[in-house]
Amino acid sequence: MNKVLVVVDMQNDFIDGSLGTKEACAIVDNVVNKITQFDGDIIATFDTHQANYLETSEGKNLPVEHCIEDTDGWKLNDKIQTALDAKSSTNEVTYIKKPTFGSIELGNLLVSKKPSEIELVGLCTDICVVSNALIIKANLPETPISVDASCCAGVTVEKHNAAIETMSSCQIKINNV
């Protein structure tokens, strides 16, 4: 049985940086606990933009610079990185840079791993978590996929709840609602 935990975009800019929220700050310890207690492979994603972000399609629709590669805002939260570093001594930890909300690379990697189940946690529920959950579901429709709602936060509480409902409608199990 090979389980995979996907830790989505637990980066400084989404927690307490340019797009941070109090809800994102509030889930950090929950995600650290999830990483620490998880028995299986872990994949952590990085929302990754370049200096020309504001000129991109996403930048024109969300004109707030964030997660510019190699800046402090792009880095994982220190507590999250420490937990992943500690886990890497006993479990496989893979990092993926993704230039947009969902990652085709993540979907392909999970297809090659053939996991028995997949769990997602992270930020933002209504953008990157839901996008990646649906990509994974499309690639692995028979694999049980779950999201721990207590380890996710959306842009707003309402959008978080809407994304949880969307994922539930798509047969993704939602835990800790």
mmCIF file with all atom_site columns, all heavy atoms in Angstrom, residues 27-44:
data_model
loop_
_atom_site.group_PDB
_atom_site.id
_atom_site.type_symbol
_atom_site.label_atom_id
_atom_site.label_alt_id
_atom_site.label_comp_id
_atom_site.label_asym_id
_atom_site.label_entity_id
_atom_site.label_seq_id
_atom_site.pdbx_PDB_ins_code
_atom_site.Cartn_x
_atom_site.Cartn_y
_atom_site.Cartn_z
_atom_site.occupancy
_atom_site.B_iso_or_equiv
_atom_site.pdbx_formal_charge
_atom_site.auth_seq_id
_atom_site.auth_comp_id
_atom_site.auth_asym_id
_atom_site.auth_atom_id
_atom_site.pdbx_PDB_model_num
ATOM 1   N N   . ILE A 1 27 ? -3.837 27.287 9.541  1.00 0.00 ? 27 ILE A N   1
ATOM 2   C CA  . ILE A 1 27 ? -3.714 25.861 9.205  1.00 0.00 ? 27 ILE A CA  1
ATOM 3   C C   . ILE A 1 27 ? -2.278 25.351 9.215  1.00 0.00 ? 27 ILE A C   1
ATOM 4   O O   . ILE A 1 27 ? -2.061 24.145 9.084  1.00 0.00 ? 27 ILE A O   1
ATOM 5   C CB  . ILE A 1 27 ? -4.359 25.526 7.839  1.00 0.00 ? 27 ILE A CB  1
ATOM 6   C CG1 . ILE A 1 27 ? -3.566 26.150 6.681  1.00 0.00 ? 27 ILE A CG1 1
ATOM 7   C CG2 . ILE A 1 27 ? -5.836 25.896 7.829  1.00 0.00 ? 27 ILE A CG2 1
ATOM 8   C CD1 . ILE A 1 27 ? -3.844 25.535 5.330  1.00 0.00 ? 27 ILE A CD1 1
ATOM 9   N N   . VAL A 1 28 ? -1.304 26.224 9.382  1.00 0.00 ? 28 VAL A N   1
ATOM 10  C CA  . VAL A 1 28 ? 0.103  25.800 9.290  1.00 0.00 ? 28 VAL A CA  1
ATOM 11  C C   . VAL A 1 28 ? 0.409  24.648 10.238 1.00 0.00 ? 28 VAL A C   1
ATOM 12  O O   . VAL A 1 28 ? 0.973  23.625 9.827  1.00 0.00 ? 28 VAL A O   1
ATOM 13  C CB  . VAL A 1 28 ? 1.071  26.987 9.512  1.00 0.00 ? 28 VAL A CB  1
ATOM 14  C CG1 . VAL A 1 28 ? 2.504  26.506 9.647  1.00 0.00 ? 28 VAL A CG1 1
ATOM 15  C CG2 . VAL A 1 28 ? 0.951  27.991 8.370  1.00 0.00 ? 28 VAL A CG2 1
ATOM 16  N N   . ASP A 1 29 ? 0.044  24.775 11.505 1.00 0.00 ? 29 ASP A N   1
ATOM 17  C CA  . ASP A 1 29 ? 0.349  23.705 12.462 1.00 0.00 ? 29 ASP A CA  1
ATOM 18  C C   . ASP A 1 29 ? -0.391 22.413 12.120 1.00 0.00 ? 29 ASP A C   1
ATOM 19  O O   . ASP A 1 29 ? 0.150  21.316 12.315 1.00 0.00 ? 29 ASP A O   1
ATOM 20  C CB  . ASP A 1 29 ? 0.042  24.155 13.891 1.00 0.00 ? 29 ASP A CB  1
ATOM 21  C CG  . ASP A 1 29 ? 1.037  25.203 14.391 1.00 0.00 ? 29 ASP A CG  1
ATOM 22  O OD1 . ASP A 1 29 ? 2.164  25.272 13.850 1.00 0.00 ? 29 ASP A OD1 1
ATOM 23  O OD2 . ASP A 1 29 ? 0.692  25.954 15.321 1.00 0.00 ? 29 ASP A OD2 1
ATOM 24  N N   . ASN A 1 30 ? -1.623 22.529 11.602 1.00 0.00 ? 30 ASN A N   1
ATOM 25  C CA  . ASN A 1 30 ? -2.355 21.325 11.173 1.00 0.00 ? 30 ASN A CA  1
ATOM 26  C C   . ASN A 1 30 ? -1.601 20.605 10.052 1.00 0.00 ? 30 ASN A C   1
ATOM 27  O O   . ASN A 1 30 ? -1.507 19.379 10.049 1.00 0.00 ? 30 ASN A O   1
ATOM 28  C CB  . ASN A 1 30 ? -3.750 21.690 10.667 1.00 0.00 ? 30 ASN A CB  1
ATOM 29  C CG  . ASN A 1 30 ? -4.665 22.225 11.742 1.00 0.00 ? 30 ASN A CG  1
ATOM 30  O OD1 . ASN A 1 30 ? -4.352 22.179 12.920 1.00 0.00 ? 30 ASN A OD1 1
ATOM 31  N ND2 . ASN A 1 30 ? -5.808 22.751 11.326 1.00 0.00 ? 30 ASN A ND2 1
ATOM 32  N N   . VAL A 1 31 ? -1.076 21.377 9.099  1.00 0.00 ? 31 VAL A N   1
ATOM 33  C CA  . VAL A 1 31 ? -0.343 20.774 7.979  1.00 0.00 ? 31 VAL A CA  1
ATOM 34  C C   . VAL A 1 31 ? 0.965  20.162 8.470  1.00 0.00 ? 31 VAL A C   1
ATOM 35  O O   . VAL A 1 31 ? 1.344  19.067 8.049  1.00 0.00 ? 31 VAL A O   1
ATOM 36  C CB  . VAL A 1 31 ? -0.119 21.795 6.846  1.00 0.00 ? 31 VAL A CB  1
ATOM 37  C CG1 . VAL A 1 31 ? 0.740  21.194 5.734  1.00 0.00 ? 31 VAL A CG1 1
ATOM 38  C CG2 . VAL A 1 31 ? -1.451 22.279 6.281  1.00 0.00 ? 31 VAL A CG2 1
ATOM 39  N N   . VAL A 1 32 ? 1.641  20.832 9.374  1.00 0.00 ? 32 VAL A N   1
ATOM 40  C CA  . VAL A 1 32 ? 2.870  20.270 9.956  1.00 0.00 ? 32 VAL A CA  1
ATOM 41  C C   . VAL A 1 32 ? 2.554  18.926 10.614 1.00 0.00 ? 32 VAL A C   1
ATOM 42  O O   . VAL A 1 32 ? 3.273  17.938 10.412 1.00 0.00 ? 32 VAL A O   1
ATOM 43  C CB  . VAL A 1 32 ? 3.519  21.247 10.964 1.00 0.00 ? 32 VAL A CB  1
ATOM 44  C CG1 . VAL A 1 32 ? 4.590  20.560 11.793 1.00 0.00 ? 32 VAL A CG1 1
ATOM 45  C CG2 . VAL A 1 32 ? 4.094  22.452 10.234 1.00 0.00 ? 32 VAL A CG2 1
ATOM 46  N N   . ASN A 1 33 ? 1.483  18.871 11.398 1.00 0.00 ? 33 ASN A N   1
ATOM 47  C CA  . ASN A 1 33 ? 1.090  17.614 12.052 1.00 0.00 ? 33 ASN A CA  1
ATOM 48  C C   . ASN A 1 33 ? 0.764  16.536 11.029 1.00 0.00 ? 33 ASN A C   1
ATOM 49  O O   . ASN A 1 33 ? 1.118  15.368 11.204 1.00 0.00 ? 33 ASN A O   1
ATOM 50  C CB  . ASN A 1 33 ? -0.089 17.834 12.995 1.00 0.00 ? 33 ASN A CB  1
ATOM 51  C CG  . ASN A 1 33 ? 0.308  18.623 14.228 1.00 0.00 ? 33 ASN A CG  1
ATOM 52  O OD1 . ASN A 1 33 ? 1.473  18.638 14.620 1.00 0.00 ? 33 ASN A OD1 1
ATOM 53  N ND2 . ASN A 1 33 ? -0.650 19.292 14.825 1.00 0.00 ? 33 ASN A ND2 1
ATOM 54  N N   . LYS A 1 34 ? 0.077  16.917 9.961  1.00 0.00 ? 34 LYS A N   1
ATOM 55  C CA  . LYS A 1 34 ? -0.274 15.961 8.908  1.00 0.00 ? 34 LYS A CA  1
ATOM 56  C C   . LYS A 1 34 ? 1.001  15.386 8.286  1.00 0.00 ? 34 LYS A C   1
ATOM 57  O O   . LYS A 1 34 ? 1.121  14.166 8.111  1.00 0.00 ? 34 LYS A O   1
ATOM 58  C CB  . LYS A 1 34 ? -1.135 16.649 7.845  1.00 0.00 ? 34 LYS A CB  1
ATOM 59  C CG  . LYS A 1 34 ? -1.523 15.782 6.680  1.00 0.00 ? 34 LYS A CG  1
ATOM 60  C CD  . LYS A 1 34 ? -2.524 14.706 7.032  1.00 0.00 ? 34 LYS A CD  1
ATOM 61  C CE  . LYS A 1 34 ? -3.871 15.280 7.348  1.00 0.00 ? 34 LYS A CE  1
ATOM 62  N NZ  . LYS A 1 34 ? -4.899 14.217 7.519  1.00 0.00 ? 34 LYS A NZ  1
ATOM 63  N N   . ILE A 1 35 ? 1.958  16.242 7.955  1.00 0.00 ? 35 ILE A N   1
ATOM 64  C CA  . ILE A 1 35 ? 3.232  15.795 7.372  1.00 0.00 ? 35 ILE A CA  1
ATOM 65  C C   . ILE A 1 35 ? 3.955  14.867 8.333  1.00 0.00 ? 35 ILE A C   1
ATOM 66  O O   . ILE A 1 35 ? 4.414  13.791 7.964  1.00 0.00 ? 35 ILE A O   1
ATOM 67  C CB  . ILE A 1 35 ? 4.121  17.007 7.007  1.00 0.00 ? 35 ILE A CB  1
ATOM 68  C CG1 . ILE A 1 35 ? 3.506  17.796 5.851  1.00 0.00 ? 35 ILE A CG1 1
ATOM 69  C CG2 . ILE A 1 35 ? 5.549  16.568 6.682  1.00 0.00 ? 35 ILE A CG2 1
ATOM 70  C CD1 . ILE A 1 35 ? 4.135  19.172 5.632  1.00 0.00 ? 35 ILE A CD1 1
ATOM 71  N N   . THR A 1 36 ? 4.045  15.275 9.587  1.00 0.00 ? 36 THR A N   1
ATOM 72  C CA  . THR A 1 36 ? 4.777  14.518 10.600 1.00 0.00 ? 36 THR A CA  1
ATOM 73  C C   . THR A 1 36 ? 4.192  13.126 10.801 1.00 0.00 ? 36 THR A C   1
ATOM 74  O O   . THR A 1 36 ? 4.927  12.152 10.956 1.00 0.00 ? 36 THR A O   1
ATOM 75  C CB  . THR A 1 36 ? 4.768  15.302 11.929 1.00 0.00 ? 36 THR A CB  1
ATOM 76  O OG1 . THR A 1 36 ? 5.347  16.593 11.698 1.00 0.00 ? 36 THR A OG1 1
ATOM 77  C CG2 . THR A 1 36 ? 5.557  14.589 13.000 1.00 0.00 ? 36 THR A CG2 1
ATOM 78  N N   . GLN A 1 37 ? 2.878  13.027 10.780 1.00 0.00 ? 37 GLN A N   1
ATOM 79  C CA  . GLN A 1 37 ? 2.208  11.754 11.055 1.00 0.00 ? 37 GLN A CA  1
ATOM 80  C C   . GLN A 1 37 ? 1.985  10.901 9.810  1.00 0.00 ? 37 GLN A C   1
ATOM 81  O O   . GLN A 1 37 ? 1.617  9.735  9.929  1.00 0.00 ? 37 GLN A O   1
ATOM 82  C CB  . GLN A 1 37 ? 0.870  12.017 11.744 1.00 0.00 ? 37 GLN A CB  1
ATOM 83  C CG  . GLN A 1 37 ? 1.030  12.665 13.102 1.00 0.00 ? 37 GLN A CG  1
ATOM 84  C CD  . GLN A 1 37 ? -0.304 13.133 13.689 1.00 0.00 ? 37 GLN A CD  1
ATOM 85  O OE1 . GLN A 1 37 ? -1.366 12.829 13.180 1.00 0.00 ? 37 GLN A OE1 1
ATOM 86  N NE2 . GLN A 1 37 ? -0.216 13.893 14.769 1.00 0.00 ? 37 GLN A NE2 1
ATOM 87  N N   . PHE A 1 38 ? 2.225  11.459 8.629  1.00 0.00 ? 38 PHE A N   1
ATOM 88  C CA  . PHE A 1 38 ? 1.904  10.743 7.397  1.00 0.00 ? 38 PHE A CA  1
ATOM 89  C C   . PHE A 1 38 ? 2.900  9.620  7.128  1.00 0.00 ? 38 PHE A C   1
ATOM 90  O O   . PHE A 1 38 ? 4.110  9.811  7.243  1.00 0.00 ? 38 PHE A O   1
ATOM 91  C CB  . PHE A 1 38 ? 1.879  11.707 6.206  1.00 0.00 ? 38 PHE A CB  1
ATOM 92  C CG  . PHE A 1 38 ? 1.305  11.093 4.970  1.00 0.00 ? 38 PHE A CG  1
ATOM 93  C CD1 . PHE A 1 38 ? -0.061 10.919 4.850  1.00 0.00 ? 38 PHE A CD1 1
ATOM 94  C CD2 . PHE A 1 38 ? 2.120  10.655 3.942  1.00 0.00 ? 38 PHE A CD2 1
ATOM 95  C CE1 . PHE A 1 38 ? -0.608 10.331 3.718  1.00 0.00 ? 38 PHE A CE1 1
ATOM 96  C CE2 . PHE A 1 38 ? 1.593  10.070 2.812  1.00 0.00 ? 38 PHE A CE2 1
ATOM 97  C CZ  . PHE A 1 38 ? 0.222  9.907  2.692  1.00 0.00 ? 38 PHE A CZ  1
ATOM 98  N N   . ASP A 1 39 ? 2.376  8.458  6.745  1.00 0.00 ? 39 ASP A N   1
ATOM 99  C CA  . ASP A 1 39 ? 3.215  7.318  6.418  1.00 0.00 ? 39 ASP A CA  1
ATOM 100 C C   . ASP A 1 39 ? 3.078  7.043  4.920  1.00 0.00 ? 39 ASP A C   1
ATOM 101 O O   . ASP A 1 39 ? 2.146  6.369  4.489  1.00 0.00 ? 39 ASP A O   1
ATOM 102 C CB  . ASP A 1 39 ? 2.791  6.101  7.236  1.00 0.00 ? 39 ASP A CB  1
ATOM 103 C CG  . ASP A 1 39 ? 3.697  4.905  6.969  1.00 0.00 ? 39 ASP A CG  1
ATOM 104 O OD1 . ASP A 1 39 ? 4.848  5.110  6.540  1.00 0.00 ? 39 ASP A OD1 1
ATOM 105 O OD2 . ASP A 1 39 ? 3.244  3.762  7.197  1.00 0.00 ? 39 ASP A OD2 1
ATOM 106 N N   . GLY A 1 40 ? 3.989  7.614  4.158  1.00 0.00 ? 40 GLY A N   1
ATOM 107 C CA  . GLY A 1 40 ? 3.961  7.444  2.710  1.00 0.00 ? 40 GLY A CA  1
ATOM 108 C C   . GLY A 1 40 ? 4.790  8.519  2.039  1.00 0.00 ? 40 GLY A C   1
ATOM 109 O O   . GLY A 1 40 ? 5.434  9.329  2.704  1.00 0.00 ? 40 GLY A O   1
ATOM 110 N N   . ASP A 1 41 ? 4.747  8.511  0.713  1.00 0.00 ? 41 ASP A N   1
ATOM 111 C CA  . ASP A 1 41 ? 5.479  9.520  -0.045 1.00 0.00 ? 41 ASP A CA  1
ATOM 112 C C   . ASP A 1 41 ? 4.764  10.860 0.053  1.00 0.00 ? 41 ASP A C   1
ATOM 113 O O   . ASP A 1 41 ? 3.542  10.918 0.218  1.00 0.00 ? 41 ASP A O   1
ATOM 114 C CB  . ASP A 1 41 ? 5.571  9.120  -1.521 1.00 0.00 ? 41 ASP A CB  1
ATOM 115 C CG  . ASP A 1 41 ? 6.418  7.877  -1.742 1.00 0.00 ? 41 ASP A CG  1
ATOM 116 O OD1 . ASP A 1 41 ? 7.173  7.485  -0.820 1.00 0.00 ? 41 ASP A OD1 1
ATOM 117 O OD2 . ASP A 1 41 ? 6.319  7.301  -2.835 1.00 0.00 ? 41 ASP A OD2 1
ATOM 118 N N   . ILE A 1 42 ? 5.543  11.929 -0.076 1.00 0.00 ? 42 ILE A N   1
ATOM 119 C CA  . ILE A 1 42 ? 4.987  13.279 -0.015 1.00 0.00 ? 42 ILE A CA  1
ATOM 120 C C   . ILE A 1 42 ? 5.459  14.041 -1.252 1.00 0.00 ? 42 ILE A C   1
ATOM 121 O O   . ILE A 1 42 ? 6.625  13.969 -1.636 1.00 0.00 ? 42 ILE A O   1
ATOM 122 C CB  . ILE A 1 42 ? 5.425  14.009 1.268  1.00 0.00 ? 42 ILE A CB  1
ATOM 123 C CG1 . ILE A 1 42 ? 4.935  13.246 2.501  1.00 0.00 ? 42 ILE A CG1 1
ATOM 124 C CG2 . ILE A 1 42 ? 4.918  15.450 1.268  1.00 0.00 ? 42 ILE A CG2 1
ATOM 125 C CD1 . ILE A 1 42 ? 5.437  13.799 3.827  1.00 0.00 ? 42 ILE A CD1 1
ATOM 126 N N   . ILE A 1 43 ? 4.530  14.772 -1.842 1.00 0.00 ? 43 ILE A N   1
ATOM 127 C CA  . ILE A 1 43 ? 4.851  15.669 -2.950 1.00 0.00 ? 43 ILE A CA  1
ATOM 128 C C   . ILE A 1 43 ? 4.441  17.069 -2.519 1.00 0.00 ? 43 ILE A C   1
ATOM 129 O O   . ILE A 1 43 ? 3.295  17.282 -2.102 1.00 0.00 ? 43 ILE A O   1
ATOM 130 C CB  . ILE A 1 43 ? 4.103  15.279 -4.240 1.00 0.00 ? 43 ILE A CB  1
ATOM 131 C CG1 . ILE A 1 43 ? 4.458  13.852 -4.662 1.00 0.00 ? 43 ILE A CG1 1
ATOM 132 C CG2 . ILE A 1 43 ? 4.420  16.273 -5.356 1.00 0.00 ? 43 ILE A CG2 1
ATOM 133 C CD1 . ILE A 1 43 ? 3.590  13.304 -5.782 1.00 0.00 ? 43 ILE A CD1 1
ATOM 134 N N   . ALA A 1 44 ? 5.363  18.005 -2.585 1.00 0.00 ? 44 ALA A N   1
ATOM 135 C CA  . ALA A 1 44 ? 5.071  19.393 -2.240 1.00 0.00 ? 44 ALA A CA  1
ATOM 136 C C   . ALA A 1 44 ? 5.167  20.237 -3.505 1.00 0.00 ? 44 ALA A C   1
ATOM 137 O O   . ALA A 1 44 ? 6.134  20.123 -4.258 1.00 0.00 ? 44 ALA A O   1
ATOM 138 C CB  . ALA A 1 44 ? 6.044  19.904 -1.187 1.00 0.00 ? 44 ALA A CB  1
#
